[in-house]
């Protein structure tokens, strides 16, 4: 993927149609980036975050209904469908769905007609959502203890999960007694991984590039018991 070296991948500035020529190649990423530019509604960092997470998730997990929690514009869900067509449907859930999510969905479906009518957006409280066997639960930067809720819901349903935590709230958090060795946010994420493993999950820990976001720790889990 050849991009101009001066391109800031971590900026919150929106991608606009004028930015599309910066993504002139034929790779899947560049085609997605041009579509996102046409939609004109997504911060640049969210494109890169979703892409880097989606690639890593699909290296581990194939198939199943994609359930994108705290989904924002739902780009991650749609990328996971593009990267693995054996996932027939995706559900994108947030307390409030941005109006511009429909525009992003439209431009992606124009570029890839096979996406049409395969993603459903739902404005709902995450505590009320019913998960199904075989689901793949994902969440990028669910703020604070919302990440813990995503992990709890996935573990209760015994489904695969991948989260990229952010905005670590340390007051009252379970740091596993590790705060003497590790900084608070890292201790919290290590404890999350250990808790998931204790619940009968196989766990993988990865990172996405720090120039996209410093909150870059990706936790993946698959039930084995």
């Amino acid at each position: 993927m050849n991009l101009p070296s001066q391109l800031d991948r971590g900026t919150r500035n929106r991608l606009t149609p004028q930015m599309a020529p910066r993504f002139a190649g034929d790779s899947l990423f560049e085609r997605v980036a041009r579509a996102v530019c046409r939609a004109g509604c997504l911060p640049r960092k969210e494109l890169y975050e979703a892409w880097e997470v989606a690639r890593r998730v699909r290296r581990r997990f194939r198939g199943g209904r994609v359930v994108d929690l705290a989904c924002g514009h739902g780009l991650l869900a749609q990328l996971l469908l593009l990267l693995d067509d054996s996932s027939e449907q995706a559900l994108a859930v947030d307390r409030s769905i941005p109006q511009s999510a429909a525009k992003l969905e439209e431009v992606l479906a124009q570029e890839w007609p096979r996406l049409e009518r395969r993603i459903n957006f739902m404005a709902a409280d995450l505590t009320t959502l019913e998960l199904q066997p075989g689901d793949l639960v994902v969440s990028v930067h669910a703020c604070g203890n919302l990440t813990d809720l995503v992990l709890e819901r996935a573990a209760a349903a015994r489904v695969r999960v991948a989260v990229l935590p952010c905005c670590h709230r340390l007051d009252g958090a379970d740091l596993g007694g590790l705060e003497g060795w590790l900084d608070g946010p890292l201790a919290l994420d290590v404890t999350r991984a250990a808790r998931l493993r204790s619940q009968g999950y196989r766990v993988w820990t990865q990172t996405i590039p720090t120039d996209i976001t410093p909150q870059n720790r990706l936790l993946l889990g698959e039930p084995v018991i």
Side-chain angles (χ1 to χ4, degrees), residues 167-171 173-192 217:
C167 304
H168 298 72
R169 296 175 183 170
L170 302 181
D171 290 346
D174 180 5
L175 304 182
L178 299 171
E179 57 271 31
W181 288 350
L182 306 175
D183 67 75
L186 179 56
L188 178 53
D189 286 340
V190 170
T191 302
R192 284 166 168 161
R217 290 188 287 271

Side-chain angles (χ1 to χ4, degrees), residues 1-224:
M1 181 171 60
N2 296 317
L3 296 175
S5 59
Q6 69 271 21
L7 194 66
D8 181 0
R9 300 195 297 177
T11 181
R12 294 185 180 275
N13 293 340
R14 278 189 303 113
L15 287 163
T16 64
Q18 291 73 29
M19 293 284 295
R22 290 180 174 264
F23 307 97
D26 294 325
S27 70
L28 178 59
F29 172 78
E30 288 162 313
R31 292 175 65 195
V32 168
R34 289 196 297 271
V36 171
C37 287
R38 291 197 299 273
C41 62
L42 203 71
R44 193 185 306 168
K45 73 185 297 288
E46 292 187 20
L47 165 67
Y48 286 101
E49 285 169 353
W51 175 254
E52 294 295 338
V53 170
R55 289 173 59 231
R56 286 162 175 76
V57 169
R58 280 311 191 196
R59 287 172 187 159
R60 293 289 180 186
F61 304 142
R62 310 293 287 185
R65 181 181 69 159
V66 173
V67 182
D68 185 359
L69 300 182
C71 67
H73 286 83
L75 178 60
L76 176 58
Q78 294 173 88
L79 287 175
L80 289 168
L81 293 184
L82 284 176
L83 289 170
D84 179 16
D85 213 35
S86 69
S87 286
E88 295 182 359
Q89 297 288 328
L91 178 62
V93 184
D94 213 324
R95 291 180 180 175
S96 178
I97 303 297
Q99 290 186 348
S100 50
K103 179 61 175 177
L104 179 62
E105 181 185 15
E106 177 186 352
V107 297
L108 289 171
Q110 288 172 351
E111 184 73 18
W112 292 278
R114 60 189 171 92
L115 288 180
E116 193 170 358
R117 293 187 294 276
R118 289 175 61 193
I119 181 167
N120 297 308
F121 285 89
M122 177 187 297
D125 189 318
L126 303 191
T127 61
T128 65
L129 178 68
E130 291 189 12
L131 297 173
Q132 303 171 4
D135 280 348
L136 170 57
V137 172
V138 295
S139 188
V140 169
H141 286 174
C143 287
N145 54 16
L146 191 56
T147 289
D148 296 298
L149 176 59
V150 172
L151 291 170
E152 289 168 9
R153 295 303 314 279
R158 309 302 296 166
V159 298
R160 299 164 297 167
V161 63
V163 295
L164 189 76
C166 78
C167 304
H168 298 72
R169 296 175 183 170
L170 302 181
D171 290 346
D174 180 5
L175 304 182
L178 299 171
E179 57 271 31
W181 288 350
L182 306 175
D183 67 75
L186 179 56
L188 178 53
D189 286 340
V190 170
T191 302
R192 284 166 168 161
R195 183 184 304 118
L196 196 59
R197 190 168 183 267
S198 73
Q199 292 169 320
Y201 272 70
R202 183 180 181 188
V203 167
W204 296 269
T205 55
Q206 300 183 16
T207 58
I208 69 171
T210 55
D211 69 309
I212 299 172
T213 175
Q215 300 184 91
N216 67 332
R217 290 188 287 271
L218 179 63
L219 171 61
L220 304 100
E222 180 177 30
V224 294

